[in-house]
Amino acid sequence: MTAPVRRAGVFAALCTLSLAVPLFGPRPGAAVAGVVLLGAYVITDGPLFDLLAYPGDYNDSRLYGLITFVLAGVALGLMATAASMPIAVFIGTILLVGYGNLGEQLVRLRTDDAVARVATFCLAATGAAVVGQTVTHSVTANAAASALPVIVFLAASGALLAALLRDVLLRSDDPIVVLSVGLLLWLLAELEPAIGTGEIAVALAVTVAFGYASYALETASIAGMLTGVLLGLLTVVLGGYGWFAVLISFFAIGGLSTKFRYDRKEALGVAEDNNGARGSGNVLGNAAVALAAVLGYAASDAGFLPREPELFLFAFAGSIATAMSDTLSSEIGSVFETPRLITTLEPVDPGTDGGVTWQGELAGIVGAGVVAGITYGLFPEIGPLGAVVIVAAGIVGMTVDSLLGATLEGSLLGNQSVNFLATLSGALACALLVLSFAMLG
């Protein structure tokens, strides 16, 4: 057994001690955390230090990895005992990270396949979180059986976020993972999603299948795949399959458009890196606003926000229409050699930020029309006027993207920031147009 596996095993065992909080109360739980912190502080060398130390811990002979991990757990524990975070979320988060790490390290002994490692982490993390939450519900006299679908949803969501963060961060950054996962699950638990056992099983199967297909087709990296699966799962559970269909239309069509005349794009120097596979930054840049709209819809539907839930549906559609328009205009328009800068209409080299072609603009309008058509077909409340508004919002967002590219990209903004601001403008344009028409009507 290698040192990383032994260290992961010890960390998982320490995570199990978090069950002292629901079993015996917060004071014994705090005492356990205090003992672990004291031990981490006084152990500065020897076999136990070697067992628990990350490589960077040897610089100062201090178990900083363990100390910060415990402090992150203590912070979540305080939220669970002094604020409204459910104790089950706290326990599930701690066990999720600890046993997910252990599962990943064990599978590393057998294979170097990245997908296998990520899948094992997610499965082990989900299983541990489900067990931890179920035990907590049972101890605190809550109806664990009736809460099982929500427990699985929270566990799977946390596992996907943890796997994503671990893919883009260092292994010693687990405290960041703990806090991020805990806060997300707290938010999702407050929304109280209504979902059945069969529904969560189907949602997981569908989103994982689409995510793996995007990776197998080389339209997404592992981080991009994890981001897409997490976004898809949240969209299905908090919005519904109609919302998911709109979201997946962008991922599918946008991903395939990246492959459009890829050799030609490489020759022109405008091709996406990594053979066109989208990473987490690209996925979030294009879909973060859509996710916020889904969360806003769920919060409004639950009575936390005063606005009508349908307004967030239009914001969601406007952001996706923008993402589709921008992606198709860039991927199709970039193969033509006569782009013009949108601010001056002067000819520029292919791939120049803010450069547009009439072919790309036409493709972008068609992309917005595709999103509007899908939304119109799936949601009766959209209506013909709503579909026109969605197309207009997509065009507005696509134009904002080009304007930002010509003026601020490279000097003040990166590509993902431009994508985010463009989709935000599309969402706001769509929502404002809907509100304007409602006031006039």
Side-chain angles (χ1 to χ4, degrees):
M1 187 177 293
T2 64
V5 174
R6 291 195 296 270
R7 181 172 61 242
V10 174
F11 269 69
L14 292 175
C15 288
T16 308
L17 296 178
S18 64
L19 288 170
V21 175
L23 289 173
F24 306 110
R27 289 186 178 179
V32 170
V35 170
V36 175
L37 276 174
L38 179 61
Y41 183 79
V42 300
I43 298 172
T44 57
D45 56 19
L48 190 54
F49 181 87
D50 293 333
L51 175 65
L52 297 173
Y54 287 100
D57 293 342
Y58 286 94
N59 295 333
D60 297 326
S61 296
R62 191 72 66 194
L63 293 172
Y64 290 125
L66 177 58
I67 291 172
T68 55
F69 186 87
V70 175
L71 289 176
V74 169
L76 281 189
L78 289 174
M79 296 179 197
T81 55
S84 62
M85 175 184 284
I87 295 292
V89 165
F90 161 63
I91 300 300
T93 299
I94 299 299
L95 294 182
L96 180 155
V97 176
Y99 282 90
N101 289 345
L102 178 58
E104 181 185 2
Q105 292 300 334
L106 286 172
V107 82
R108 280 178 178 269
L109 298 176
R110 295 183 174 274
T111 179
D112 291 327
D113 182 72
V115 174
R117 297 200 305 268
V118 167
T120 303
F121 175 90
C122 289
L123 288 172
T126 300
V130 168
V131 171
Q133 292 180 84
T134 302
V135 169
T136 304
H137 280 294
S138 300
V139 170
T140 56
N142 288 331
S146 62
L148 183 60
V150 176
I151 286 174
V152 174
F153 168 60
L154 295 178
S157 300
L160 288 166
L161 178 61
L164 171 61
L165 292 175
R166 286 171 53 82
D167 187 76
V168 299
L169 299 175
L170 299 175
R171 290 288 180 261
S172 55
D173 288 333
D174 277 342
I176 298 175
V177 177
V178 168
L179 291 173
S180 300
V181 171
L183 292 174
L184 172 67
L185 299 194
W186 186 7
L187 170 62
L188 296 179
E190 289 293 326
L191 294 177
E192 298 181 349
I195 186 170
T197 303
E199 293 171 309
I200 186 60
V202 172
L204 282 169
V206 169
T207 53
V208 170
F210 273 105
Y212 183 75
S214 68
Y215 176 78
L217 293 172
E218 297 183 341
T219 60
S221 64
I222 287 180
M225 173 186 69
L226 289 169
T227 306
V229 174
L230 176 58
L231 290 176
L233 180 62
L234 296 180
T235 301
V236 169
V237 173
L238 300 179
Y241 283 100
W243 294 62
F244 178 70
V246 176
L247 179 68
I248 208 64
S249 70
F250 161 66
F251 285 132
I253 298 173
L256 292 176
S257 71
T258 306
K259 303 294 185 181
F260 174 71
R261 299 183 66 181
Y262 189 79
D263 292 340
R264 169 71 170 165
K265 295 173 188 174
E266 281 189 315
L268 293 173
V270 298
E272 290 281 345
D273 296 332
N274 198 22
N275 199 31
R278 306 275 178 166
S280 59
N282 186 280
V283 174
L284 285 174
N286 283 293
V289 174
L291 175 61
V294 173
L295 293 173
Y297 174 83
S300 179
D301 197 43
F304 295 123
L305 295 177
R307 292 295 180 183
E308 289 296 323
E310 288 75 15
L311 187 63
F312 292 98
L313 173 59
F314 278 99
F316 174 83
S319 71
I320 296 298
T322 296
M324 183 80 86
S325 296
D326 175 53
T327 299
L328 293 188
S329 65
S330 298
E331 295 298 340
I332 294 177
S334 63
V335 303
F336 298 95
E337 296 183 357
T338 57
R340 293 180 179 272
L341 197 65
I342 191 172
T343 52
T344 64
L345 298 183
E346 296 177 353
V348 292
D349 294 330
T352 300
D353 294 330
V356 299
T357 64
W358 71 264
Q359 297 94 337
E361 293 296 292
L362 180 60
I365 294 172
V366 171
V370 169
V371 173
I374 294 173
T375 309
Y376 173 74
L378 293 174
F379 298 97
E381 60 266 40
I382 294 298
L385 180 59
V388 173
V389 167
I390 292 170
V391 174
I395 296 173
V396 168
M398 175 179 64
T399 305
V400 169
D401 186 278
S402 298
L403 289 172
L404 290 174
T407 56
L408 299 179
E409 188 169 357
S411 57
L412 294 177
L413 299 174
N415 179 255
Q416 311 311 332
S417 299
V418 170
N419 288 340
F420 172 78
L421 291 174
T423 54
L424 178 61
S425 67
L428 292 176
C430 199
L432 290 174
L433 285 171
V434 169
L435 286 175
S436 298
F437 285 121
M439 291 176 63
L440 293 174

